[in-house]
Amino acid sequence: STSAVDVEYDGTPIKPDAVERDQVSIAFGTGEVMGEFVREVVCLGKAPDGQPTAKGAETKGPLLTNCVELRTVLATKMTE
């Protein structure tokens, strides 16, 4: 998405010249997910009055009332 920002585990944006980045391994039941961190803006429903659906992560502006900024893990590897 255009509002996603690659980040370290603490939310610090990844530097453009970075060669490595923080990763996480999450075990659940009998499986495991490995992934990287990202900050994203997620909106539910239509934007009011034709406003853009996401502000915040990419513009540093205020979020719309139907949006939230969150950090999540994007899976890069998963067991079956």
Side-chain angles (χ1 to χ4, degrees), residues 1 7 10 13 16 24 27 32 41-42 47 49 51 54 57-58 65 69 74:
S1 108
V7 295
D10 63 357
V24 65
E32 185 176 21
V41 174
V42 177
D49 301 328
Q51 293 177 8
E58 68 180 16
T65 56
E69 184 176 86
L74 295 181

Side-chain angles (χ1 to χ4, degrees), residues 21-51:
R21 60 181 297 175
D22 291 336
Q23 296 183 337
V24 65
S25 176
I26 303 168
F28 62 95
T30 59
E32 185 176 21
V33 174
M34 294 180 64
E36 300 172 338
F37 300 94
V38 66
R39 183 175 64 229
E40 177 65 290
V41 174
V42 177
C43 302
L44 300 176
K46 290 185 173 183
D49 301 328
Q51 293 177 8

